[in-house]
Amino acid sequence: MDRNQKSVVVDELQEKLSGAVAFYLTDFSGMSVKQITAFRSRLRREGVDYVVVKNTLAQRALADMELPDIGSSFAGPTGLVLARTDAVAAAKVLTDFAREFDNKPAVKLGIVERREVGPDQIKRLAELPPREVLLAQLAGGLQAPMARLAGGMSQILAGFARAVDALRQQREGAGT
């Protein structure tokens, strides 16, 4: 690969990394081509990319970005799981696949929202419910106090209406 080709690869990788909300470094040694193909297929279904690049080119791509220094993690066969929109979905696919295939690919570390996370944190991230469920839980949590407020307000109004009606009946009774 000549200098121009390397420069193009570095630029493309920088573009992918800067557009990702999260990326995870994996060690894919010991995986067969069939397993890597199945892994990529699962990731693609979730809108996630899997890129294998030379370590030196990946280090160059990361050098100009404002990220934690993870250059030392680029040793041995390294693949990048790039999540463009959902960091949790990528972590789920990665940990589920590794669980099925004897911890392959092995997770080295990750960058989520520009912060370094370790393999244990990635597993915890994968255990989170899907985004839609979290949003539904949030909406339910916000709705409950408002429903109680609306119920309380209607009780106050009903009590006021009963008091006005009782006053009306009292005055009608006193007037006869």
Side-chain angles (χ1 to χ4, degrees), residues 3 6-7 10 14 55-64:
R3 232 175 211 196
K6 288 179 183 179
S7 177
V10 168
Q14 258 184 340
N55 291 334
T56 55
L57 298 180
Q59 288 171 334
R60 281 189 209 163
L62 289 168
D64 295 335

Side-chain angles (χ1 to χ4, degrees), residues 21-65:
V21 294
F23 63 90
Y24 308 105
L25 278 67
T26 63
D27 180 354
F28 60 89
S29 59
M31 291 179 69
S32 67
V33 173
K34 185 177 178 181
Q35 287 174 330
I36 291 176
T37 303
F39 182 52
R40 278 190 164 136
S41 174
R42 283 194 199 177
L43 289 169
R44 240 180 274 121
R45 276 186 252 142
E46 295 296 327
V48 179
D49 293 328
Y50 188 67
V51 181
V52 176
V53 293
K54 293 183 86 165
N55 291 334
T56 55
L57 298 180
Q59 288 171 334
R60 281 189 209 163
L62 289 168
D64 295 335
M65 299 179 71

Side-chain angles (χ1 to χ4, degrees), residues 6-122:
K6 288 179 183 179
S7 177
V8 169
V9 169
V10 168
D11 290 342
E12 287 175 359
L13 186 57
Q14 258 184 340
E15 185 178 325
K16 286 181 180 182
L17 290 170
S18 63
V21 294
F23 63 90
Y24 308 105
L25 278 67
T26 63
D27 180 354
F28 60 89
S29 59
M31 291 179 69
S32 67
V33 173
K34 185 177 178 181
Q35 287 174 330
I36 291 176
T37 303
F39 182 52
R40 278 190 164 136
S41 174
R42 283 194 199 177
L43 289 169
R44 240 180 274 121
R45 276 186 252 142
E46 295 296 327
V48 179
D49 293 328
Y50 188 67
V51 181
V52 176
V53 293
K54 293 183 86 165
N55 291 334
T56 55
L57 298 180
Q59 288 171 334
R60 281 189 209 163
L62 289 168
D64 295 335
M65 299 179 71
E66 294 179 21
L67 296 172
D69 183 22
I70 57 170
S72 62
S73 299
F74 285 97
T78 303
L80 294 170
V81 175
L82 300 164
R84 291 183 294 252
T85 57
D86 192 358
V88 175
K92 279 184 190 302
V93 172
L94 180 57
T95 55
D96 289 347
F97 194 88
R99 192 176 302 125
E100 289 176 36
F101 291 96
D102 194 32
N103 288 327
K104 291 181 180 140
V107 179
K108 294 180 179 183
L109 61 84
I111 299 289
V112 178
E113 298 292 334
R114 308 228 176 264
R115 290 187 207 119
E116 184 176 342
V117 292
D120 292 337
Q121 292 170 313
I122 295 169

